Structures are given as structure tokens and as C-alpha cells.
Amino acid sequence: MKTISHNLRIFLNKYGHAWVFLYAFIYFPWFNWLEKTVTTDYSLVYSPLDSYLPFIEFFIVPYLLWFVYMAVTCFYFFFTSKEEFYKFTKMCIIGMTLFLIICTIFPNGLRLRPTIFPRDNIFVDLVRFIYKVDTPTNVLPSLHVYNSVACHIAIMHNEKLSQNRVISTGSMILSISIVLSTMFLKQHSVIDVISALIMIYFVYGAVYAPAKQKHPALAHQTT
């Protein structure tokens, strides 16, 4: 019994920050409720710029890589730095909670998705799948945009990762590609993207900005 108790204390001391994942029990029920209730009576999000942006199915690749990007970033910090894990997840949770509140108070949706596709290929098939499983509602602000930028910020605040040119450059390219993918796949309006960037700007200021002076690499990128 003493051995089990001792091992449990070691485990909790090392991985006790896993409690953060309990947020899923708040986010997913709330989001699923929104998906079921916001179906017809909602405000359309639209910018004239949306009509000028073409549909480009190849952007489904970075769009789907968002899930990998999020998971890898989250678990990297989970296993390497409790402090950085808390900062990263704090920024994500604040943004996701604000998203839920906004969509609850201001039900919103899109009518940008094409009904006829210019080509027929595996990328279009993947887009069709995304359209099928993801409704065009609850889009403002874009969590794809918000969380992908959050990933890049967290990476650039890590001394080891920020000094690795392959990782830092790859992260920046992937983050930008994900942001663009939301618009070129007609999953989000330009307004969704801009609102997500504005939101993360202020959340970043509360979570990361005080430590910016300690990270010259990020300071140069954000000025």
C-alpha cells in the first residue's frame, strides 16, 4: 500500500496538471448544444471580401493538420513544461470560452459554401466530408484561426523550439496556412478571421506579454 501511495503521489506531482483536460466536459456539451439549437434562426456573417476569395480545395490539407498541430503542441508542453502547458491551455481555454459565450449571445452562421465544385478529386472529397460533419453555424470567431495562432505563440515562447529554425519557420508557415484555409475552403468569413485575431491579441496580452522581454525571438516577431 505504501508503494502504491508513493507511486500515486509521484504521478500526481508529475502529471497533476492533467486536470486541465476536464475542460472538455464543459466545452463539448456546450458546443453540441449550440450545434443542435442554432440551425435556422441566426445572423449571417458576411464580408464583401468573401466573394472575391476563390474556393481552393487543396487548403483542406492545412485545415486538417490543425488537429495534429493542436495535439502535438498541447502534449509537447504537457510532458516537457508544466508552466508552459498552463500558459498555452489558459490562452486556448479563454478563447474557446469566449467563443461559446459569443455564439450563445449572438447565434451566427455562414452561407458561403459552394454547392457545385469546380473539380472532382480527393481534396474535394475531404471538403465534402468536412461540410457533412461540421455545420456552417457557430463560426464567429474562428477557433481554427485562434488556436493555430495560439500554438505558434506557445512554440515561439519556448526557448528550445524558438531557436530551432526548422520548427519555428514550419510552425509559422503552418499557422498562416491554417488561417488562410478557413477562408479558401469557405468555412469562415474574413470577419471570423479578423475577430479571432483581435481576440487572441488581447488574450495574449494577458497571458504571455509579461514574459515577452525574456524571449527576444518572439519580441522581434510581434513588434
PDB file of all heavy atoms in Angstrom, residues 19-35:
ATOM      1  N   TRP A  19      -5.543  17.809 -14.972  1.00  0.00           N
ATOM      2  CA  TRP A  19      -6.902  18.260 -14.623  1.00  0.00           C
ATOM      3  C   TRP A  19      -7.437  19.275 -15.625  1.00  0.00           C
ATOM      4  O   TRP A  19      -8.657  19.424 -15.787  1.00  0.00           O
ATOM      5  CB  TRP A  19      -6.917  18.868 -13.217  1.00  0.00           C
ATOM      6  CG  TRP A  19      -6.185  20.182 -13.102  1.00  0.00           C
ATOM      7  CD1 TRP A  19      -4.895  20.377 -12.739  1.00  0.00           C
ATOM      8  CD2 TRP A  19      -6.726  21.481 -13.376  1.00  0.00           C
ATOM      9  NE1 TRP A  19      -4.573  21.719 -12.766  1.00  0.00           N
ATOM     10  CE2 TRP A  19      -5.680  22.419 -13.161  1.00  0.00           C
ATOM     11  CE3 TRP A  19      -7.979  21.954 -13.779  1.00  0.00           C
ATOM     12  CZ2 TRP A  19      -5.855  23.790 -13.347  1.00  0.00           C
ATOM     13  CZ3 TRP A  19      -8.155  23.328 -13.970  1.00  0.00           C
ATOM     14  CH2 TRP A  19      -7.105  24.222 -13.738  1.00  0.00           C
ATOM     15  N   VAL A  20      -6.551  19.954 -16.326  1.00  0.00           N
ATOM     16  CA  VAL A  20      -6.967  20.951 -17.310  1.00  0.00           C
ATOM     17  C   VAL A  20      -7.855  20.327 -18.385  1.00  0.00           C
ATOM     18  O   VAL A  20      -8.777  20.967 -18.895  1.00  0.00           O
ATOM     19  CB  VAL A  20      -5.728  21.606 -17.961  1.00  0.00           C
ATOM     20  CG1 VAL A  20      -6.130  22.493 -19.135  1.00  0.00           C
ATOM     21  CG2 VAL A  20      -4.961  22.423 -16.929  1.00  0.00           C
ATOM     22  N   PHE A  21      -7.599  19.059 -18.704  1.00  0.00           N
ATOM     23  CA  PHE A  21      -8.377  18.388 -19.746  1.00  0.00           C
ATOM     24  C   PHE A  21      -9.836  18.195 -19.357  1.00  0.00           C
ATOM     25  O   PHE A  21     -10.676  17.868 -20.202  1.00  0.00           O
ATOM     26  CB  PHE A  21      -7.741  17.046 -20.105  1.00  0.00           C
ATOM     27  CG  PHE A  21      -6.375  17.165 -20.720  1.00  0.00           C
ATOM     28  CD1 PHE A  21      -5.279  16.554 -20.133  1.00  0.00           C
ATOM     29  CD2 PHE A  21      -6.184  17.902 -21.879  1.00  0.00           C
ATOM     30  CE1 PHE A  21      -4.014  16.661 -20.692  1.00  0.00           C
ATOM     31  CE2 PHE A  21      -4.923  18.025 -22.448  1.00  0.00           C
ATOM     32  CZ  PHE A  21      -3.834  17.403 -21.860  1.00  0.00           C
ATOM     33  N   LEU A  22     -10.155  18.407 -18.084  1.00  0.00           N
ATOM     34  CA  LEU A  22     -11.551  18.326 -17.646  1.00  0.00           C
ATOM     35  C   LEU A  22     -12.405  19.409 -18.301  1.00  0.00           C
ATOM     36  O   LEU A  22     -13.634  19.314 -18.312  1.00  0.00           O
ATOM     37  CB  LEU A  22     -11.635  18.446 -16.122  1.00  0.00           C
ATOM     38  CG  LEU A  22     -11.035  17.285 -15.314  1.00  0.00           C
ATOM     39  CD1 LEU A  22     -11.069  17.619 -13.828  1.00  0.00           C
ATOM     40  CD2 LEU A  22     -11.801  15.995 -15.588  1.00  0.00           C
ATOM     41  N   TYR A  23     -11.742  20.418 -18.849  1.00  0.00           N
ATOM     42  CA  TYR A  23     -12.484  21.485 -19.543  1.00  0.00           C
ATOM     43  C   TYR A  23     -13.309  20.909 -20.693  1.00  0.00           C
ATOM     44  O   TYR A  23     -14.324  21.498 -21.080  1.00  0.00           O
ATOM     45  CB  TYR A  23     -11.517  22.537 -20.070  1.00  0.00           C
ATOM     46  CG  TYR A  23     -12.193  23.636 -20.859  1.00  0.00           C
ATOM     47  CD1 TYR A  23     -12.985  24.587 -20.223  1.00  0.00           C
ATOM     48  CD2 TYR A  23     -12.062  23.702 -22.245  1.00  0.00           C
ATOM     49  CE1 TYR A  23     -13.630  25.586 -20.952  1.00  0.00           C
ATOM     50  CE2 TYR A  23     -12.693  24.702 -22.976  1.00  0.00           C
ATOM     51  CZ  TYR A  23     -13.479  25.636 -22.320  1.00  0.00           C
ATOM     52  OH  TYR A  23     -14.109  26.619 -23.054  1.00  0.00           O
ATOM     53  N   ALA A  24     -12.895  19.768 -21.216  1.00  0.00           N
ATOM     54  CA  ALA A  24     -13.639  19.130 -22.311  1.00  0.00           C
ATOM     55  C   ALA A  24     -15.080  18.842 -21.901  1.00  0.00           C
ATOM     56  O   ALA A  24     -15.994  18.881 -22.737  1.00  0.00           O
ATOM     57  CB  ALA A  24     -12.952  17.831 -22.723  1.00  0.00           C
ATOM     58  N   PHE A  25     -15.303  18.600 -20.604  1.00  0.00           N
ATOM     59  CA  PHE A  25     -16.646  18.303 -20.118  1.00  0.00           C
ATOM     60  C   PHE A  25     -17.514  19.563 -20.026  1.00  0.00           C
ATOM     61  O   PHE A  25     -18.719  19.479 -19.784  1.00  0.00           O
ATOM     62  CB  PHE A  25     -16.581  17.611 -18.752  1.00  0.00           C
ATOM     63  CG  PHE A  25     -15.988  16.237 -18.817  1.00  0.00           C
ATOM     64  CD1 PHE A  25     -14.660  16.031 -18.471  1.00  0.00           C
ATOM     65  CD2 PHE A  25     -16.741  15.158 -19.256  1.00  0.00           C
ATOM     66  CE1 PHE A  25     -14.104  14.758 -18.532  1.00  0.00           C
ATOM     67  CE2 PHE A  25     -16.193  13.890 -19.329  1.00  0.00           C
ATOM     68  CZ  PHE A  25     -14.873  13.685 -18.971  1.00  0.00           C
ATOM     69  N   ILE A  26     -16.895  20.704 -20.210  1.00  0.00           N
ATOM     70  CA  ILE A  26     -17.636  21.962 -20.303  1.00  0.00           C
ATOM     71  C   ILE A  26     -17.816  22.339 -21.756  1.00  0.00           C
ATOM     72  O   ILE A  26     -18.924  22.653 -22.206  1.00  0.00           O
ATOM     73  CB  ILE A  26     -16.904  23.103 -19.555  1.00  0.00           C
ATOM     74  CG1 ILE A  26     -16.821  22.804 -18.065  1.00  0.00           C
ATOM     75  CG2 ILE A  26     -17.608  24.445 -19.804  1.00  0.00           C
ATOM     76  CD1 ILE A  26     -16.007  23.823 -17.278  1.00  0.00           C
ATOM     77  N   TYR A  27     -16.712  22.280 -22.501  1.00  0.00           N
ATOM     78  CA  TYR A  27     -16.730  22.757 -23.883  1.00  0.00           C
ATOM     79  C   TYR A  27     -17.631  21.925 -24.796  1.00  0.00           C
ATOM     80  O   TYR A  27     -18.507  22.477 -25.474  1.00  0.00           O
ATOM     81  CB  TYR A  27     -15.307  22.783 -24.453  1.00  0.00           C
ATOM     82  CG  TYR A  27     -15.292  23.207 -25.906  1.00  0.00           C
ATOM     83  CD1 TYR A  27     -15.394  24.556 -26.250  1.00  0.00           C
ATOM     84  CD2 TYR A  27     -15.241  22.262 -26.925  1.00  0.00           C
ATOM     85  CE1 TYR A  27     -15.430  24.957 -27.581  1.00  0.00           C
ATOM     86  CE2 TYR A  27     -15.269  22.657 -28.259  1.00  0.00           C
ATOM     87  CZ  TYR A  27     -15.361  23.998 -28.582  1.00  0.00           C
ATOM     88  OH  TYR A  27     -15.404  24.379 -29.903  1.00  0.00           O
ATOM     89  N   PHE A  28     -17.432  20.610 -24.826  1.00  0.00           N
ATOM     90  CA  PHE A  28     -18.149  19.789 -25.803  1.00  0.00           C
ATOM     91  C   PHE A  28     -19.660  19.738 -25.577  1.00  0.00           C
ATOM     92  O   PHE A  28     -20.422  19.868 -26.543  1.00  0.00           O
ATOM     93  CB  PHE A  28     -17.553  18.382 -25.859  1.00  0.00           C
ATOM     94  CG  PHE A  28     -16.219  18.338 -26.560  1.00  0.00           C
ATOM     95  CD1 PHE A  28     -15.059  18.086 -25.852  1.00  0.00           C
ATOM     96  CD2 PHE A  28     -16.130  18.586 -27.920  1.00  0.00           C
ATOM     97  CE1 PHE A  28     -13.825  18.067 -26.496  1.00  0.00           C
ATOM     98  CE2 PHE A  28     -14.906  18.573 -28.570  1.00  0.00           C
ATOM     99  CZ  PHE A  28     -13.758  18.318 -27.863  1.00  0.00           C
ATOM    100  N   PRO A  29     -20.161  19.587 -24.345  1.00  0.00           N
ATOM    101  CA  PRO A  29     -21.622  19.641 -24.167  1.00  0.00           C
ATOM    102  C   PRO A  29     -22.204  20.992 -24.578  1.00  0.00           C
ATOM    103  O   PRO A  29     -23.276  21.041 -25.195  1.00  0.00           O
ATOM    104  CB  PRO A  29     -21.801  19.398 -22.666  1.00  0.00           C
ATOM    105  CG  PRO A  29     -20.588  18.636 -22.265  1.00  0.00           C
ATOM    106  CD  PRO A  29     -19.479  19.208 -23.095  1.00  0.00           C
ATOM    107  N   TRP A  30     -21.512  22.075 -24.244  1.00  0.00           N
ATOM    108  CA  TRP A  30     -21.986  23.417 -24.601  1.00  0.00           C
ATOM    109  C   TRP A  30     -21.987  23.591 -26.112  1.00  0.00           C
ATOM    110  O   TRP A  30     -22.960  24.065 -26.704  1.00  0.00           O
ATOM    111  CB  TRP A  30     -21.084  24.449 -23.927  1.00  0.00           C
ATOM    112  CG  TRP A  30     -21.592  25.871 -23.945  1.00  0.00           C
ATOM    113  CD1 TRP A  30     -22.583  26.386 -24.741  1.00  0.00           C
ATOM    114  CD2 TRP A  30     -21.133  26.960 -23.138  1.00  0.00           C
ATOM    115  NE1 TRP A  30     -22.755  27.727 -24.491  1.00  0.00           N
ATOM    116  CE2 TRP A  30     -21.893  28.106 -23.507  1.00  0.00           C
ATOM    117  CE3 TRP A  30     -20.150  27.077 -22.158  1.00  0.00           C
ATOM    118  CZ2 TRP A  30     -21.665  29.351 -22.922  1.00  0.00           C
ATOM    119  CZ3 TRP A  30     -19.946  28.314 -21.573  1.00  0.00           C
ATOM    120  CH2 TRP A  30     -20.696  29.434 -21.943  1.00  0.00           C
ATOM    121  N   PHE A  31     -20.889  23.189 -26.759  1.00  0.00           N
ATOM    122  CA  PHE A  31     -20.786  23.327 -28.216  1.00  0.00           C
ATOM    123  C   PHE A  31     -21.829  22.453 -28.921  1.00  0.00           C
ATOM    124  O   PHE A  31     -22.471  22.895 -29.884  1.00  0.00           O
ATOM    125  CB  PHE A  31     -19.384  22.948 -28.681  1.00  0.00           C
ATOM    126  CG  PHE A  31     -19.207  23.039 -30.180  1.00  0.00           C
ATOM    127  CD1 PHE A  31     -19.113  24.276 -30.806  1.00  0.00           C
ATOM    128  CD2 PHE A  31     -19.141  21.894 -30.961  1.00  0.00           C
ATOM    129  CE1 PHE A  31     -18.961  24.373 -32.180  1.00  0.00           C
ATOM    130  CE2 PHE A  31     -18.989  21.979 -32.341  1.00  0.00           C
ATOM    131  CZ  PHE A  31     -18.898  23.216 -32.949  1.00  0.00           C
ATOM    132  N   ASN A  32     -22.012  21.231 -28.458  1.00  0.00           N
ATOM    133  CA  ASN A  32     -23.010  20.343 -29.069  1.00  0.00           C
ATOM    134  C   ASN A  32     -24.410  20.914 -28.915  1.00  0.00           C
ATOM    135  O   ASN A  32     -25.252  20.778 -29.820  1.00  0.00           O
ATOM    136  CB  ASN A  32     -22.940  18.949 -28.436  1.00  0.00           C
ATOM    137  CG  ASN A  32     -21.701  18.188 -28.870  1.00  0.00           C
ATOM    138  OD1 ASN A  32     -21.159  18.417 -29.953  1.00  0.00           O
ATOM    139  ND2 ASN A  32     -21.251  17.267 -28.028  1.00  0.00           N
ATOM    140  N   TRP A  33     -24.675  21.559 -27.775  1.00  0.00           N
ATOM    141  CA  TRP A  33     -25.976  22.207 -27.578  1.00  0.00           C
ATOM    142  C   TRP A  33     -26.171  23.331 -28.594  1.00  0.00           C
ATOM    143  O   TRP A  33     -27.250  23.475 -29.180  1.00  0.00           O
ATOM    144  CB  TRP A  33     -26.059  22.755 -26.155  1.00  0.00           C
ATOM    145  CG  TRP A  33     -27.326  23.523 -25.893  1.00  0.00           C
ATOM    146  CD1 TRP A  33     -28.565  23.016 -25.636  1.00  0.00           C
ATOM    147  CD2 TRP A  33     -27.460  24.948 -25.910  1.00  0.00           C
ATOM    148  NE1 TRP A  33     -29.477  24.038 -25.477  1.00  0.00           N
ATOM    149  CE2 TRP A  33     -28.825  25.240 -25.641  1.00  0.00           C
ATOM    150  CE3 TRP A  33     -26.576  26.003 -26.110  1.00  0.00           C
ATOM    151  CZ2 TRP A  33     -29.302  26.539 -25.586  1.00  0.00           C
ATOM    152  CZ3 TRP A  33     -27.056  27.303 -26.049  1.00  0.00           C
ATOM    153  CH2 TRP A  33     -28.404  27.558 -25.785  1.00  0.00           C
ATOM    154  N   LEU A  34     -25.115  24.109 -28.824  1.00  0.00           N
ATOM    155  CA  LEU A  34     -25.196  25.180 -29.817  1.00  0.00           C
ATOM    156  C   LEU A  34     -25.440  24.624 -31.211  1.00  0.00           C
ATOM    157  O   LEU A  34     -26.237  25.168 -31.990  1.00  0.00           O
ATOM    158  CB  LEU A  34     -23.897  25.994 -29.810  1.00  0.00           C
ATOM    159  CG  LEU A  34     -23.673  26.940 -28.628  1.00  0.00           C
ATOM    160  CD1 LEU A  34     -22.260  27.508 -28.663  1.00  0.00           C
ATOM    161  CD2 LEU A  34     -24.687  28.075 -28.639  1.00  0.00           C
ATOM    162  N   GLU A  35     -24.743  23.539 -31.550  1.00  0.00           N
ATOM    163  CA  GLU A  35     -24.897  22.939 -32.877  1.00  0.00           C
ATOM    164  C   GLU A  35     -26.321  22.436 -33.103  1.00  0.00           C
ATOM    165  O   GLU A  35     -26.822  22.469 -34.229  1.00  0.00           O
ATOM    166  CB  GLU A  35     -23.910  21.783 -33.037  1.00  0.00           C
ATOM    167  CG  GLU A  35     -22.471  22.218 -33.211  1.00  0.00           C
ATOM    168  CD  GLU A  35     -22.203  22.834 -34.571  1.00  0.00           C
ATOM    169  OE1 GLU A  35     -21.869  22.102 -35.510  1.00  0.00           O
ATOM    170  OE2 GLU A  35     -22.331  24.082 -34.694  1.00  0.00           O
TER     171      GLU A  35
END
